[in-house]
Amino acid sequence: MTARSALITGITGQDGSYLAELLLEKGYTVHGLVRRSSTETFERIAHIHSRLNLHQADLLDQVSLETAIRLAEPKEIYNLGAQSFVPTSWVQPSLTGEYTALGVTRMLDAIRTIDPEIRFYQASSSEMFGRVTEVPQSETTDFYPRSPYAVAKLYGHWITVNYRESYDLFAVSGILFNHESPRRGREFVTRKITESAARIKLGLQDELKLGNVEARRDWGYAAEYVDAMWRMLQNEEPVDYVIGTGSQNSVRQCYELAFAHLDLDPEDFVRADKNLQRPAEVDTLLADARKAEKELGWTAKTSFSELVKLMVDADLEAQQKIHGVRLGDPGTR
């Protein structure tokens, strides 16, 4: 078996790309699972593509998972693959369950069958807390999921605990609160805000439509959160952790920061759209990550305002390149 080898599901996503970078820096041989599609989406890993070992597999297909694990011979598996967009989970609840819930079981069964010594990380979510029973939320807070996505994540969380206790696997869940970056999918609200603000500044867009702008979240920088994932698999014992910043901001505060960074007045551009509100809202999420700080030595370093500015600057640069327009050109604001 390779000395330091890891397999990442969801390697082409935000977290997967940052984790792959981190592991390569630490000297790992990095393997990733990619699904067959008519359009390759390797944008986030293009700069490290030649250093990765990619395997075609799907969380819906047990045989493909087992084949990939046998080929990669990993010591660590990070399961970041999922249907991860909450609104889509109401449109495709069954598919969300297949990927985000049962996909975890398939991966755990493959590990149990092929090599029970593999260490397994499951990407759990703060959305599992849903209608919160206490503020802030820690590892002992009760779960109350409020979307098909959150219910599926809760299944994935508990099946990981179950396999750990039933089969003595080193299997852990990281209950990560919202984490963002310039690599965040454009459908997620933070990226939607920062990209829209950049496009409005460049005269490429006239308005930004948002749903519940009073929803409050604990937002951190994804590039830092993957370090917490890695630290969990280096522990002597398998333990689950809440990962977050311990501070909270609203969607309104997010767009106010983004527009202010570009010297724009959001009141001129932001519009409410009830069609974008969730059927069942999660009003507030706030992490109590003291256990991770004490036992893993992990803390968030990037403030929310710094994160928003970082994302706005990245989107502004990207939009200028895509459209061949610069600040100060006719039509820009």
Side-chain angles (χ1 to χ4, degrees):
M1 183 178 289
T2 306
R4 289 168 70 85
S5 177
L7 176 65
I8 304 171
T9 74
I11 196 170
T12 60
Q14 170 189 253
D15 293 6
S17 64
Y18 282 121
L19 178 60
E21 287 178 346
L22 176 73
L23 296 179
L24 287 171
E25 290 171 4
K26 293 182 179 296
Y28 279 69
T29 298
V30 179
H31 299 260
L33 298 191
V34 293
R35 284 186 295 144
R36 173 71 177 90
S37 64
S38 57
T39 303
E40 291 187 341
T41 54
F42 295 161
E43 177 185 356
R44 297 183 181 95
I45 58 171
H47 60 298
I48 55 173
H49 190 282
S50 62
R51 302 172 64 192
L52 302 174
N53 303 277
L54 301 180
H55 306 268
Q56 193 176 117
D58 196 301
L59 288 171
L60 302 186
D61 185 76
Q62 186 76 29
V63 173
S64 69
L65 297 179
E66 293 180 0
T67 300
I69 292 173
R70 288 192 172 95
L71 289 172
E73 296 185 302
K75 283 194 171 181
E76 300 170 5
I77 291 179
Y78 297 84
N79 186 42
L80 312 184
Q83 191 300 100
S84 60
F85 190 45
V86 174
T88 296
S89 74
W90 274 288
V91 180
Q92 296 180 300
S94 296
L95 184 66
T96 298
E98 286 288 345
Y99 275 111
T100 309
L102 293 180
V104 187
T105 309
R106 294 186 186 100
M107 185 59 76
L108 285 165
D109 252 341
I111 291 171
R112 181 175 65 88
T113 302
I114 296 168
D115 182 2
E117 296 303 310
I118 294 173
R119 296 192 168 200
F120 176 79
Y121 171 86
Q122 165 61 15
S124 288
S125 169
S126 60
E127 288 284 333
M128 300 187 307
F129 293 118
R131 190 160 75 181
V132 299
T133 59
E134 63 180 0
V135 178
Q137 296 86 51
S138 71
E139 293 82 2
T140 60
T141 302
D142 290 337
F143 298 119
Y144 196 133
R146 297 270 283 169
S147 67
Y149 166 79
V151 172
K153 276 293 185 183
L154 188 55
Y155 176 97
H157 176 83
W158 280 117
I159 200 67
T160 300
V161 173
N162 183 264
Y163 269 60
R164 178 171 71 216
E165 296 177 349
S166 300
Y167 301 112
D168 197 29
L169 300 181
F170 193 109
V172 302
S173 285
I175 307 173
L176 271 59
F177 281 62
N178 295 66
H179 43 291
E180 320 298 312
S181 77
R183 299 181 192 175
R184 189 59 145 151
R186 290 172 172 83
E187 68 273 22
F188 291 88
V189 68
T190 51
R191 182 73 192 287
K192 180 180 179 180
I193 288 170
T194 60
E195 186 175 70
S196 294
R199 287 175 56 80
I200 289 170
K201 182 69 175 179
L202 295 171
L204 301 169
Q205 186 172 320
D206 295 323
E207 66 178 9
L208 166 61
K209 293 182 179 181
L210 295 171
N212 179 15
V213 299
E214 304 308 329
R216 301 179 64 81
R217 295 291 186 271
D218 184 325
W219 276 301
Y221 185 24
E224 297 171 358
Y225 283 45
V226 296
D227 178 58
M229 299 177 189
W230 176 79
R231 290 176 186 236
M232 289 183 211
L233 291 196
Q234 314 315 307
N235 257 354
E236 290 187 8
E237 299 294 331
V239 179
D240 303 329
Y241 292 94
V242 160
I243 301 297
T245 70
S247 63
Q248 188 183 62
N249 292 273
S250 66
V251 174
R252 182 186 298 277
Q253 288 171 303
C254 181
Y255 74 68
E256 287 176 347
L257 283 168
F259 279 78
H261 186 53
L262 296 174
D263 296 318
L264 296 172
D265 185 349
E267 296 303 314
D268 294 334
F269 307 103
V270 178
R271 306 287 180 260
D273 187 343
K274 292 184 178 180
N275 294 323
L276 296 176
Q277 294 186 4
R278 297 180 179 185
E281 184 57 81
V282 174
D283 295 313
T284 181
L285 292 173
L286 178 63
D288 177 356
R290 288 177 294 178
K291 181 178 176 182
E293 180 177 4
K294 179 181 178 181
E295 298 182 10
L296 297 178
W298 183 92
T299 56
K301 298 179 177 62
T302 303
S303 70
F304 182 62
S305 61
E306 291 171 334
L307 175 59
V308 172
K309 292 174 184 177
L310 182 156
M311 292 174 65
V312 169
D313 289 342
D315 277 322
L316 187 64
E317 181 181 355
Q319 290 297 314
Q320 289 181 101
K321 287 181 179 179
I322 291 169
H323 297 281
V325 62
R326 296 184 180 183
L327 289 176
D329 287 352
T332 61
R333 298 179 170 94

